[in-house]
Each structure stands twice: as structure tokens, then as C-alpha cells.
Short mmCIF file of all heavy atoms in Angstrom, two decimals:
data_model
loop_
_atom_site.label_atom_id
_atom_site.label_comp_id
_atom_site.label_asym_id
_atom_site.label_seq_id
_atom_site.Cartn_x
_atom_site.Cartn_y
_atom_site.Cartn_z
N MET A 110 0.85 -1.18 0.00
CA MET A 110 0.00 0.00 0.00
C MET A 110 0.89 1.24 0.00
O MET A 110 1.78 1.36 0.81
CB MET A 110 -0.90 -0.03 1.22
CG MET A 110 -1.74 1.22 1.39
SD MET A 110 -2.71 1.15 2.88
CE MET A 110 -4.23 1.73 2.25
N SER A 111 0.64 2.15 -0.92
CA SER A 111 1.48 3.34 -0.98
C SER A 111 0.85 4.48 -0.18
O SER A 111 -0.36 4.55 0.01
CB SER A 111 1.72 3.77 -2.43
OG SER A 111 0.60 4.43 -2.95
N VAL A 112 1.71 5.34 0.28
CA VAL A 112 1.30 6.54 1.00
C VAL A 112 0.97 7.61 -0.04
O VAL A 112 1.71 7.79 -1.01
CB VAL A 112 2.45 7.02 1.92
CG1 VAL A 112 2.12 8.34 2.57
CG2 VAL A 112 2.76 5.96 2.96
N LYS A 113 -0.14 8.31 0.17
CA LYS A 113 -0.57 9.35 -0.77
C LYS A 113 -0.15 10.72 -0.24
O LYS A 113 -0.54 11.11 0.85
CB LYS A 113 -2.07 9.30 -0.95
CG LYS A 113 -2.54 8.02 -1.60
CD LYS A 113 -4.04 7.97 -1.70
CE LYS A 113 -4.46 6.62 -2.26
NZ LYS A 113 -5.90 6.45 -2.22
N VAL A 114 0.65 11.41 -1.04
CA VAL A 114 1.09 12.76 -0.70
C VAL A 114 0.47 13.71 -1.72
O VAL A 114 0.61 13.50 -2.93
CB VAL A 114 2.63 12.87 -0.72
CG1 VAL A 114 3.06 14.30 -0.41
CG2 VAL A 114 3.26 11.89 0.24
N HIS A 115 -0.23 14.72 -1.24
CA HIS A 115 -0.85 15.70 -2.12
C HIS A 115 -0.40 17.09 -1.70
O HIS A 115 -0.42 17.42 -0.51
CB HIS A 115 -2.38 15.61 -2.04
CG HIS A 115 -3.06 16.58 -2.95
ND1 HIS A 115 -3.11 16.42 -4.32
CD2 HIS A 115 -3.68 17.75 -2.70
CE1 HIS A 115 -3.76 17.42 -4.86
NE2 HIS A 115 -4.11 18.26 -3.90
N VAL A 116 -0.02 17.90 -2.68
CA VAL A 116 0.43 19.26 -2.41
C VAL A 116 -0.48 20.23 -3.16
O VAL A 116 -0.68 20.11 -4.37
CB VAL A 116 1.89 19.47 -2.84
CG1 VAL A 116 2.34 20.89 -2.55
CG2 VAL A 116 2.81 18.47 -2.15
N LEU A 117 -1.03 21.18 -2.43
CA LEU A 117 -1.81 22.28 -2.99
C LEU A 117 -0.91 23.50 -2.93
O LEU A 117 -0.43 23.86 -1.85
CB LEU A 117 -3.08 22.51 -2.18
CG LEU A 117 -3.94 23.70 -2.58
CD1 LEU A 117 -4.57 23.47 -3.95
CD2 LEU A 117 -5.02 23.95 -1.53
N TYR A 118 -0.64 24.11 -4.09
CA TYR A 118 0.29 25.23 -4.09
C TYR A 118 -0.18 26.36 -4.99
O TYR A 118 -0.96 26.16 -5.91
CB TYR A 118 1.70 24.79 -4.48
CG TYR A 118 1.83 24.18 -5.84
CD1 TYR A 118 2.20 24.96 -6.93
CD2 TYR A 118 1.60 22.83 -6.06
CE1 TYR A 118 2.34 24.41 -8.20
CE2 TYR A 118 1.75 22.27 -7.32
CZ TYR A 118 2.11 23.06 -8.38
OH TYR A 118 2.25 22.52 -9.63
N CYS A 119 0.30 27.54 -4.69
CA CYS A 119 -0.05 28.75 -5.43
C CYS A 119 0.46 28.65 -6.86
O CYS A 119 1.65 28.51 -7.09
CB CYS A 119 0.56 29.96 -4.72
SG CYS A 119 0.19 31.52 -5.52
N GLY A 120 -0.46 28.74 -7.80
CA GLY A 120 -0.10 28.60 -9.20
C GLY A 120 0.66 29.78 -9.77
O GLY A 120 1.42 29.63 -10.71
N GLU A 121 0.48 30.94 -9.20
CA GLU A 121 1.14 32.12 -9.75
C GLU A 121 2.14 32.73 -8.78
O GLU A 121 2.71 33.77 -9.08
CB GLU A 121 0.09 33.16 -10.15
CG GLU A 121 -0.80 32.69 -11.28
CD GLU A 121 -1.79 33.75 -11.72
OE1 GLU A 121 -1.64 34.92 -11.34
OE2 GLU A 121 -2.71 33.39 -12.45
N GLY A 122 2.36 32.11 -7.64
CA GLY A 122 3.23 32.70 -6.63
C GLY A 122 4.63 32.14 -6.60
O GLY A 122 5.37 32.36 -5.65
N GLY A 123 5.01 31.39 -7.60
CA GLY A 123 6.36 30.87 -7.65
C GLY A 123 6.58 29.59 -6.86
O GLY A 123 7.71 29.20 -6.60
N TYR A 124 5.51 28.92 -6.47
CA TYR A 124 5.63 27.71 -5.66
C TYR A 124 5.74 26.44 -6.49
O TYR A 124 5.96 25.37 -5.94
CB TYR A 124 4.47 27.61 -4.67
CG TYR A 124 4.59 28.65 -3.58
CD1 TYR A 124 3.87 29.83 -3.64
CD2 TYR A 124 5.43 28.45 -2.50
CE1 TYR A 124 3.99 30.79 -2.66
CE2 TYR A 124 5.56 29.41 -1.51
CZ TYR A 124 4.83 30.58 -1.60
OH TYR A 124 4.97 31.53 -0.63
N ALA A 125 5.60 26.54 -7.79
CA ALA A 125 5.72 25.35 -8.64
C ALA A 125 7.10 24.73 -8.50
O ALA A 125 7.23 23.51 -8.40
CB ALA A 125 5.44 25.69 -10.10
N SER A 126 8.13 25.55 -8.45
CA SER A 126 9.49 25.01 -8.33
C SER A 126 9.68 24.32 -6.98
O SER A 126 10.36 23.30 -6.89
CB SER A 126 10.53 26.10 -8.52
OG SER A 126 10.42 27.09 -7.51
N ARG A 127 9.06 24.85 -5.94
CA ARG A 127 9.16 24.22 -4.61
C ARG A 127 8.43 22.88 -4.60
O ARG A 127 8.89 21.93 -4.00
CB ARG A 127 8.61 25.14 -3.54
CG ARG A 127 9.47 26.36 -3.35
CD ARG A 127 8.92 27.28 -2.32
NE ARG A 127 9.69 28.53 -2.35
CZ ARG A 127 9.71 29.38 -1.36
NH1 ARG A 127 9.03 29.15 -0.27
NH2 ARG A 127 10.41 30.48 -1.46
N TYR A 128 7.27 22.83 -5.27
CA TYR A 128 6.55 21.57 -5.37
C TYR A 128 7.39 20.53 -6.10
O TYR A 128 7.53 19.40 -5.64
CB TYR A 128 5.20 21.75 -6.07
CG TYR A 128 4.64 20.43 -6.57
CD1 TYR A 128 4.16 19.50 -5.66
CD2 TYR A 128 4.66 20.11 -7.92
CE1 TYR A 128 3.68 18.27 -6.09
CE2 TYR A 128 4.19 18.88 -8.35
CZ TYR A 128 3.69 17.97 -7.43
OH TYR A 128 3.23 16.76 -7.86
N HIS A 129 7.96 20.91 -7.24
CA HIS A 129 8.75 19.96 -8.03
C HIS A 129 10.01 19.51 -7.28
O HIS A 129 10.42 18.35 -7.39
CB HIS A 129 9.08 20.53 -9.40
CG HIS A 129 7.87 20.67 -10.27
ND1 HIS A 129 7.14 19.59 -10.72
CD2 HIS A 129 7.22 21.76 -10.73
CE1 HIS A 129 6.12 20.00 -11.43
NE2 HIS A 129 6.14 21.33 -11.45
N GLN A 130 10.60 20.40 -6.52
CA GLN A 130 11.76 20.03 -5.70
C GLN A 130 11.36 19.02 -4.64
O GLN A 130 12.04 18.01 -4.43
CB GLN A 130 12.35 21.28 -5.05
CG GLN A 130 13.57 21.00 -4.21
CD GLN A 130 14.11 22.27 -3.57
OE1 GLN A 130 13.43 23.29 -3.48
NE2 GLN A 130 15.34 22.20 -3.10
N LEU A 131 10.23 19.26 -3.97
CA LEU A 131 9.73 18.32 -2.96
C LEU A 131 9.37 16.99 -3.59
O LEU A 131 9.69 15.92 -3.06
CB LEU A 131 8.51 18.91 -2.25
CG LEU A 131 7.84 18.03 -1.19
CD1 LEU A 131 8.79 17.74 -0.03
CD2 LEU A 131 6.56 18.70 -0.69
N GLU A 132 8.74 17.03 -4.76
CA GLU A 132 8.37 15.81 -5.48
C GLU A 132 9.60 14.97 -5.81
O GLU A 132 9.62 13.76 -5.57
CB GLU A 132 7.62 16.18 -6.75
CG GLU A 132 7.19 14.98 -7.57
CD GLU A 132 6.51 15.38 -8.87
OE1 GLU A 132 6.95 16.37 -9.50
OE2 GLU A 132 5.55 14.70 -9.24
N ARG A 133 10.63 15.60 -6.36
CA ARG A 133 11.86 14.87 -6.69
C ARG A 133 12.50 14.25 -5.45
O ARG A 133 12.92 13.09 -5.47
CB ARG A 133 12.87 15.81 -7.37
CG ARG A 133 12.59 16.07 -8.82
CD ARG A 133 13.74 16.79 -9.51
NE ARG A 133 14.08 18.06 -8.89
CZ ARG A 133 13.51 19.24 -9.16
NH1 ARG A 133 12.55 19.28 -10.07
NH2 ARG A 133 13.89 20.33 -8.57
N LEU A 134 12.56 15.01 -4.38
CA LEU A 134 13.16 14.53 -3.14
C LEU A 134 12.40 13.32 -2.58
O LEU A 134 13.00 12.28 -2.28
CB LEU A 134 13.21 15.65 -2.11
CG LEU A 134 13.73 15.25 -0.74
CD1 LEU A 134 15.23 14.98 -0.79
CD2 LEU A 134 13.42 16.32 0.27
N LEU A 135 11.08 13.46 -2.46
CA LEU A 135 10.29 12.37 -1.88
C LEU A 135 10.26 11.14 -2.77
O LEU A 135 10.35 10.01 -2.28
CB LEU A 135 8.86 12.85 -1.58
CG LEU A 135 8.72 13.88 -0.47
CD1 LEU A 135 7.27 14.30 -0.33
CD2 LEU A 135 9.26 13.36 0.85
N MET A 136 10.13 11.34 -4.09
CA MET A 136 10.07 10.21 -5.00
C MET A 136 11.39 9.45 -5.05
O MET A 136 11.40 8.23 -5.23
CB MET A 136 9.66 10.66 -6.40
CG MET A 136 8.24 11.23 -6.47
SD MET A 136 6.96 10.07 -5.97
CE MET A 136 6.80 9.12 -7.45
N SER A 137 12.52 10.14 -4.86
CA SER A 137 13.81 9.45 -4.86
C SER A 137 14.10 8.79 -3.51
O SER A 137 14.75 7.76 -3.44
CB SER A 137 14.94 10.41 -5.23
OG SER A 137 15.13 11.38 -4.23
N GLU A 138 13.59 9.38 -2.45
CA GLU A 138 13.82 8.83 -1.11
C GLU A 138 12.91 7.64 -0.81
O GLU A 138 13.29 6.69 -0.14
CB GLU A 138 13.59 9.92 -0.06
CG GLU A 138 13.89 9.51 1.36
CD GLU A 138 15.36 9.31 1.66
OE1 GLU A 138 16.21 9.92 0.97
OE2 GLU A 138 15.65 8.53 2.59
N PHE A 139 11.68 7.67 -1.32
CA PHE A 139 10.68 6.64 -1.01
C PHE A 139 10.22 5.96 -2.30
O PHE A 139 9.03 5.92 -2.61
CB PHE A 139 9.50 7.25 -0.27
CG PHE A 139 9.88 7.91 1.02
CD1 PHE A 139 10.02 9.28 1.11
CD2 PHE A 139 10.13 7.14 2.15
CE1 PHE A 139 10.39 9.89 2.30
CE2 PHE A 139 10.50 7.74 3.35
CZ PHE A 139 10.63 9.12 3.42
N VAL A 140 11.15 5.40 -3.04
CA VAL A 140 10.87 4.77 -4.34
C VAL A 140 9.83 3.66 -4.18
O VAL A 140 9.98 2.75 -3.36
CB VAL A 140 12.17 4.20 -4.94
CG1 VAL A 140 11.88 3.47 -6.24
CG2 VAL A 140 13.20 5.29 -5.14
N GLY A 141 8.74 3.79 -4.94
CA GLY A 141 7.69 2.78 -4.94
C GLY A 141 6.80 2.77 -3.71
O GLY A 141 5.91 1.94 -3.60
N GLN A 142 7.03 3.70 -2.78
CA GLN A 142 6.26 3.70 -1.53
C GLN A 142 5.22 4.81 -1.46
O GLN A 142 4.34 4.76 -0.60
CB GLN A 142 7.21 3.85 -0.34
CG GLN A 142 8.21 2.73 -0.20
CD GLN A 142 9.16 2.99 0.95
OE1 GLN A 142 8.76 3.33 2.04
NE2 GLN A 142 10.45 2.83 0.68
N ILE A 143 5.34 5.81 -2.33
CA ILE A 143 4.40 6.93 -2.27
C ILE A 143 3.80 7.22 -3.64
O ILE A 143 4.38 6.89 -4.68
CB ILE A 143 5.05 8.22 -1.73
CG1 ILE A 143 6.12 8.75 -2.68
CG2 ILE A 143 5.62 8.02 -0.35
CD1 ILE A 143 6.62 10.14 -2.30
N THR A 144 2.62 7.83 -3.60
CA THR A 144 1.97 8.38 -4.77
C THR A 144 1.92 9.88 -4.54
O THR A 144 1.40 10.33 -3.52
CB THR A 144 0.55 7.83 -4.94
OG1 THR A 144 0.61 6.41 -5.03
CG2 THR A 144 -0.11 8.39 -6.18
N MET A 145 2.47 10.64 -5.46
CA MET A 145 2.58 12.08 -5.29
C MET A 145 1.71 12.80 -6.30
O MET A 145 1.77 12.51 -7.50
CB MET A 145 4.05 12.48 -5.48
CG MET A 145 4.36 13.90 -5.23
SD MET A 145 5.03 14.05 -3.58
CE MET A 145 5.21 15.81 -3.48
N THR A 146 0.88 13.74 -5.83
CA THR A 146 0.07 14.56 -6.71
C THR A 146 0.20 16.02 -6.29
O THR A 146 0.46 16.32 -5.14
CB THR A 146 -1.42 14.16 -6.67
OG1 THR A 146 -1.90 14.26 -5.33
CG2 THR A 146 -1.63 12.75 -7.20
N GLY A 147 0.02 16.90 -7.27
CA GLY A 147 0.06 18.32 -7.00
C GLY A 147 -1.10 19.02 -7.67
O GLY A 147 -1.61 18.56 -8.69
N GLU A 148 -1.51 20.12 -7.06
CA GLU A 148 -2.66 20.87 -7.58
C GLU A 148 -2.36 22.36 -7.38
O GLU A 148 -1.98 22.78 -6.30
CB GLU A 148 -3.90 20.47 -6.80
CG GLU A 148 -5.14 21.24 -7.10
CD GLU A 148 -6.30 20.84 -6.19
OE1 GLU A 148 -6.13 19.98 -5.31
OE2 GLU A 148 -7.37 21.42 -6.38
N THR A 149 -2.54 23.13 -8.43
CA THR A 149 -2.33 24.57 -8.32
C THR A 149 -3.63 25.28 -7.99
O THR A 149 -4.71 24.81 -8.34
CB THR A 149 -1.76 25.16 -9.61
OG1 THR A 149 -2.68 24.95 -10.67
CG2 THR A 149 -0.42 24.55 -9.97
N THR A 150 -3.50 26.40 -7.31
CA THR A 150 -4.66 27.24 -7.05
C THR A 150 -4.75 28.29 -8.15
O THR A 150 -3.72 28.69 -8.70
CB THR A 150 -4.54 27.95 -5.68
OG1 THR A 150 -3.38 28.78 -5.69
CG2 THR A 150 -4.46 26.97 -4.55
N PRO A 151 -5.94 28.71 -8.49
CA PRO A 151 -6.05 29.76 -9.50
C PRO A 151 -5.65 31.10 -8.88
O PRO A 151 -6.03 31.42 -7.76
CB PRO A 151 -7.53 29.74 -9.88
CG PRO A 151 -8.22 29.14 -8.71
CD PRO A 151 -7.23 28.22 -8.06
N GLY A 152 -4.86 31.84 -9.58
CA GLY A 152 -4.46 33.16 -9.09
C GLY A 152 -3.37 33.07 -8.04
O GLY A 152 -2.81 32.02 -7.77
N THR A 153 -3.08 34.20 -7.44
CA THR A 153 -2.05 34.29 -6.41
C THR A 153 -2.69 34.14 -5.05
O THR A 153 -3.44 35.01 -4.60
CB THR A 153 -1.31 35.64 -6.51
OG1 THR A 153 -0.79 35.78 -7.81
CG2 THR A 153 -0.18 35.71 -5.51
N THR A 154 -2.43 33.02 -4.39
CA THR A 154 -3.06 32.74 -3.10
C THR A 154 -2.06 32.59 -1.97
O THR A 154 -2.41 32.74 -0.81
CB THR A 154 -3.88 31.44 -3.18
OG1 THR A 154 -3.00 30.37 -3.51
CG2 THR A 154 -5.00 31.53 -4.20
N GLY A 155 -0.82 32.24 -2.29
CA GLY A 155 0.19 32.03 -1.26
C GLY A 155 0.13 30.67 -0.60
O GLY A 155 0.84 30.40 0.35
N TYR A 156 -0.71 29.78 -1.12
CA TYR A 156 -0.85 28.46 -0.51
C TYR A 156 0.33 27.55 -0.82
O TYR A 156 0.84 27.54 -1.93
CB TYR A 156 -2.12 27.75 -1.01
CG TYR A 156 -3.37 28.20 -0.32
CD1 TYR A 156 -4.25 29.06 -0.95
CD2 TYR A 156 -3.69 27.74 0.96
CE1 TYR A 156 -5.41 29.48 -0.33
CE2 TYR A 156 -4.85 28.16 1.59
CZ TYR A 156 -5.71 29.02 0.94
OH TYR A 156 -6.85 29.44 1.56
N PHE A 157 0.75 26.79 0.17
CA PHE A 157 1.64 25.65 -0.01
C PHE A 157 1.29 24.69 1.12
O PHE A 157 1.73 24.85 2.25
CB PHE A 157 3.12 26.02 0.04
CG PHE A 157 4.00 24.91 -0.46
CD1 PHE A 157 4.27 24.78 -1.81
CD2 PHE A 157 4.54 23.97 0.40
CE1 PHE A 157 5.07 23.75 -2.30
CE2 PHE A 157 5.34 22.94 -0.06
CZ PHE A 157 5.60 22.84 -1.42
N GLU A 158 0.42 23.75 0.81
CA GLU A 158 -0.08 22.81 1.81
C GLU A 158 0.24 21.38 1.40
O GLU A 158 0.06 21.01 0.24
CB GLU A 158 -1.59 22.96 1.99
CG GLU A 158 -1.97 24.32 2.51
CD GLU A 158 -3.45 24.46 2.80
OE1 GLU A 158 -4.26 23.66 2.28
OE2 GLU A 158 -3.80 25.38 3.55
N VAL A 159 0.71 20.60 2.36
CA VAL A 159 1.08 19.22 2.11
C VAL A 159 0.18 18.31 2.95
O VAL A 159 0.10 18.49 4.18
CB VAL A 159 2.56 18.95 2.46
CG1 VAL A 159 2.93 17.50 2.18
CG2 VAL A 159 3.48 19.90 1.70
N SER A 160 -0.48 17.38 2.30
CA SER A 160 -1.32 16.39 2.98
C SER A 160 -0.75 15.01 2.74
O SER A 160 -0.30 14.69 1.64
CB SER A 160 -2.76 16.45 2.47
OG SER A 160 -3.33 17.70 2.73
N VAL A 161 -0.77 14.18 3.77
CA VAL A 161 -0.34 12.80 3.68
C VAL A 161 -1.53 11.93 4.07
O VAL A 161 -2.07 12.08 5.17
CB VAL A 161 0.87 12.51 4.59
CG1 VAL A 161 1.25 11.04 4.54
CG2 VAL A 161 2.06 13.39 4.21
N ASN A 162 -1.94 11.08 3.15
CA ASN A 162 -3.14 10.25 3.35
C ASN A 162 -4.32 11.09 3.82
O ASN A 162 -5.01 10.76 4.78
CB ASN A 162 -2.85 9.10 4.31
CG ASN A 162 -1.94 8.06 3.71
OD1 ASN A 162 -1.87 7.92 2.49
ND2 ASN A 162 -1.22 7.35 4.54
N ASN A 163 -4.53 12.21 3.13
CA ASN A 163 -5.65 13.13 3.36
C ASN A 163 -5.59 13.88 4.69
O ASN A 163 -6.58 14.48 5.10
CB ASN A 163 -7.00 12.42 3.22
CG ASN A 163 -7.21 11.90 1.82
OD1 ASN A 163 -6.90 12.59 0.85
ND2 ASN A 163 -7.71 10.69 1.70
N GLU A 164 -4.46 13.86 5.37
CA GLU A 164 -4.30 14.62 6.61
C GLU A 164 -3.30 15.75 6.37
O GLU A 164 -2.16 15.51 5.96
CB GLU A 164 -3.81 13.73 7.74
CG GLU A 164 -3.69 14.47 9.05
CD GLU A 164 -3.24 13.56 10.19
OE1 GLU A 164 -3.50 12.34 10.13
OE2 GLU A 164 -2.64 14.08 11.13
N LEU A 165 -3.72 16.98 6.63
CA LEU A 165 -2.85 18.13 6.44
C LEU A 165 -1.70 18.07 7.43
O LEU A 165 -1.91 18.02 8.64
CB LEU A 165 -3.65 19.42 6.63
CG LEU A 165 -2.92 20.73 6.36
CD1 LEU A 165 -2.52 20.82 4.88
CD2 LEU A 165 -3.80 21.91 6.74
N VAL A 166 -0.47 18.05 6.90
CA VAL A 166 0.71 17.95 7.77
C VAL A 166 1.57 19.21 7.71
O VAL A 166 2.44 19.41 8.56
CB VAL A 166 1.57 16.71 7.45
CG1 VAL A 166 0.79 15.44 7.75
CG2 VAL A 166 2.08 16.74 6.03
N HIS A 167 1.36 20.05 6.70
CA HIS A 167 2.09 21.31 6.60
C HIS A 167 1.25 22.32 5.85
O HIS A 167 0.62 22.01 4.84
CB HIS A 167 3.41 21.13 5.85
CG HIS A 167 4.06 22.45 5.53
ND1 HIS A 167 4.76 23.18 6.45
CD2 HIS A 167 4.05 23.20 4.38
CE1 HIS A 167 5.19 24.30 5.89
NE2 HIS A 167 4.77 24.32 4.64
N SER A 168 1.22 23.55 6.37
CA SER A 168 0.57 24.63 5.68
C SER A 168 1.35 25.92 5.93
O SER A 168 1.72 26.21 7.06
CB SER A 168 -0.87 24.81 6.16
OG SER A 168 -1.45 25.95 5.55
N LYS A 169 1.55 26.66 4.87
CA LYS A 169 2.19 27.95 4.99
C LYS A 169 1.22 28.97 5.60
O LYS A 169 1.63 29.96 6.18
CB LYS A 169 2.64 28.41 3.60
CG LYS A 169 3.41 29.68 3.57
CD LYS A 169 3.85 29.96 2.14
CE LYS A 169 4.11 31.41 1.90
NZ LYS A 169 2.96 32.23 1.82
N LYS A 170 -0.07 28.70 5.51
CA LYS A 170 -1.09 29.66 5.94
C LYS A 170 -1.78 29.29 7.25
O LYS A 170 -2.27 30.17 7.94
CB LYS A 170 -2.15 29.78 4.86
CG LYS A 170 -1.63 30.42 3.60
CD LYS A 170 -2.59 31.46 3.16
CE LYS A 170 -2.04 32.25 2.02
NZ LYS A 170 -2.65 33.54 1.93
N VAL A 171 -1.84 28.02 7.58
CA VAL A 171 -2.57 27.56 8.77
C VAL A 171 -1.60 27.41 9.93
O VAL A 171 -0.53 26.84 9.79
CB VAL A 171 -3.28 26.21 8.50
CG1 VAL A 171 -3.96 25.69 9.74
CG2 VAL A 171 -4.28 26.37 7.37
N VAL A 172 -1.99 27.93 11.09
CA VAL A 172 -1.19 27.77 12.30
C VAL A 172 -1.70 26.53 13.04
O VAL A 172 -2.88 26.42 13.33
CB VAL A 172 -1.28 29.00 13.21
CG1 VAL A 172 -0.53 28.79 14.50
CG2 VAL A 172 -0.78 30.24 12.48
N PHE A 173 -0.79 25.61 13.31
CA PHE A 173 -1.16 24.39 14.01
C PHE A 173 -0.99 24.60 15.52
O PHE A 173 0.00 25.16 15.96
CB PHE A 173 -0.27 23.22 13.57
CG PHE A 173 -0.52 22.78 12.15
CD1 PHE A 173 0.22 23.30 11.11
CD2 PHE A 173 -1.52 21.87 11.86
CE1 PHE A 173 0.00 22.91 9.80
CE2 PHE A 173 -1.76 21.48 10.56
CZ PHE A 173 -1.01 21.99 9.53
N VAL A 174 -1.96 24.13 16.27
CA VAL A 174 -1.90 24.22 17.72
C VAL A 174 -1.75 22.81 18.26
O VAL A 174 -2.52 21.92 17.93
CB VAL A 174 -3.17 24.87 18.30
CG1 VAL A 174 -3.11 24.91 19.82
CG2 VAL A 174 -3.37 26.26 17.71
N LEU A 175 -0.72 22.60 19.08
CA LEU A 175 -0.49 21.28 19.65
C LEU A 175 -1.16 21.14 20.99
O LEU A 175 -1.32 22.00 21.74
CB LEU A 175 1.00 21.01 19.79
CG LEU A 175 1.77 21.01 18.47
CD1 LEU A 175 3.26 20.81 18.75
CD2 LEU A 175 1.28 19.92 17.55
#
């Protein structure tokens, strides 16, 4: 069973290169263990959110409270 990683990122804010860098890193580190998808937001939103198996694990915009 592979782990699903999904990244939602700002389509016009220069985050595409960060997504592709993360994709290359994770795909080379976890060969055959993950499925990686990316989705851009329309316009400039500033989003860069990473979800693993549908659970948000990183957000540039959301503050996590422990």
C-alpha cells in the first residue's frame, strides 16, 4: 500500500518550483512507496499545503496548535 502525498500550491506565486523540488526529493527517497500529486490554485493565493493520506501535515497559511 502506498502513502498518498498531495500538495496544494499557489499557481502564480512561484511555488511550482518548490513543489517539483519536494516531489523529486520524496520520490527518490521513497521509491515505490508513495503516490505524489500536485494541484495549483487559481491566481495568487500564497498556498503551499502538504497532505499525507488526506491529513494536512504542513501549511504555509494555517497555524497548528499542539
Side-chain angles (χ1 to χ4, degrees):
M110 175 183 224
S111 78
V112 174
K113 295 177 184 173
V114 179
H115 181 74
V116 180
L117 175 68
Y118 61 94
C119 181
E121 295 183 13
Y124 290 98
S126 62
R127 292 179 189 199
Y128 162 71
H129 292 295
Q130 181 181 17
L131 178 62
E132 180 183 39
R133 281 190 302 273
L134 176 72
L135 292 178
M136 295 300 280
S137 67
E138 184 70 26
F139 301 101
V140 176
Q142 298 177 48
I143 66 170
T144 302
M145 185 99 184
T146 58
E148 174 184 2
T149 61
T150 61
T153 304
T154 60
Y156 280 103
F157 193 85
E158 297 184 341
V159 180
S160 297
V161 176
N162 290 335
N163 296 319
E164 182 178 334
L165 184 64
V166 296
H167 170 79
S168 175
K169 184 177 156 286
K170 293 227 173 204
V171 176
V172 176
F173 292 93
V174 178
L175 298 177

